[in-house]
Amino acid sequence: MNLADQTTFSRIYEEHHRGVYGAAYRILGNDAQAQDVAQDVFLRVWRNPGKYDARRGELGSYLRLMARSRALDLWRESQAAGRATDRLKVVVSMDAPRYDQRPDQVAEREGDRRIVRDALRVLPDAQREAVVLAYWGGLTADQIARRAGVPLGTAKSRIRLGLAKLRDEIGRQLEPSYAAA
């Protein structure tokens, strides 16, 4: 079977696009995302038809496995992004203090939050996003690169530079406190 042939590819698409979409939809539960996954699967096959080896299994199974794998990647990324958002909200929140905490502890924690919030605001947007996703979101540099659509090295540089600037900015904000003591 020659997947590089346009006629063959069109026939394969007609036969399998519903199954590929269904595999993605069962994981994501979102029509638009499932359509994107299906498109991505067929685009990958079109761009690299030689990757499919008929000796290793049936084409439909191969396509559905690709869809499932890509859908799981998207689902994990969305879960991590949700955790990043939740963690960032905790860090920068202005929640009322709990009553079981001493006022001095509450004041110290609020001061720390303010310092981190202020330091994060100084970072360029791309670096801030990379640091927040890596530190509070638990994403790897590879996941951040894919999410931002940049090379892995760029994502790593953004994290490294962002952390360095964050450390410098926090140190700068703390200097007057230490000088006064």
Side-chain angles (χ1 to χ4, degrees), residues 90 93-110 113:
V90 168
S93 72
M94 299 292 237
D95 294 340
R98 295 189 340 224
Y99 293 105
D100 62 338
Q101 295 177 337
R102 295 187 344 227
D104 60 329
Q105 292 172 331
V106 171
E108 183 176 341
R109 190 177 63 248
E110 289 304 315
R113 284 184 181 165

Side-chain angles (χ1 to χ4, degrees), residues 23-89:
Y25 186 81
R26 281 188 289 282
I27 292 167
L28 298 168
N30 179 295
D31 180 59
Q33 287 180 322
Q35 287 176 10
D36 287 347
V37 167
Q39 179 180 354
D40 185 49
V41 166
F42 284 104
L43 189 59
R44 287 178 189 212
V45 170
W46 178 252
R47 286 183 176 161
N48 196 354
K51 264 195 152 178
Y52 170 66
D53 183 0
R55 296 173 295 181
R56 295 185 67 197
E58 193 260 325
L59 179 61
S61 298
Y62 172 76
L63 295 171
R64 288 188 302 277
L65 181 64
M66 282 179 65
R68 183 179 185 280
S69 177
R70 181 66 185 123
L72 284 171
D73 287 347
L74 286 174
W75 181 81
R76 287 181 188 123
E77 286 175 14
S78 71
Q79 294 298 305
R83 288 192 306 272
T85 301
D86 292 345
R87 288 179 184 148
L88 183 58
K89 285 178 184 174

Side-chain angles (χ1 to χ4, degrees), residues 104-124:
D104 60 329
Q105 292 172 331
V106 171
E108 183 176 341
R109 190 177 63 248
E110 289 304 315
D112 292 346
R113 284 184 181 165
R114 181 190 49 75
I115 290 169
V116 171
R117 255 193 325 268
D118 291 346
L120 281 169
R121 286 188 187 114
V122 173
L123 298 179

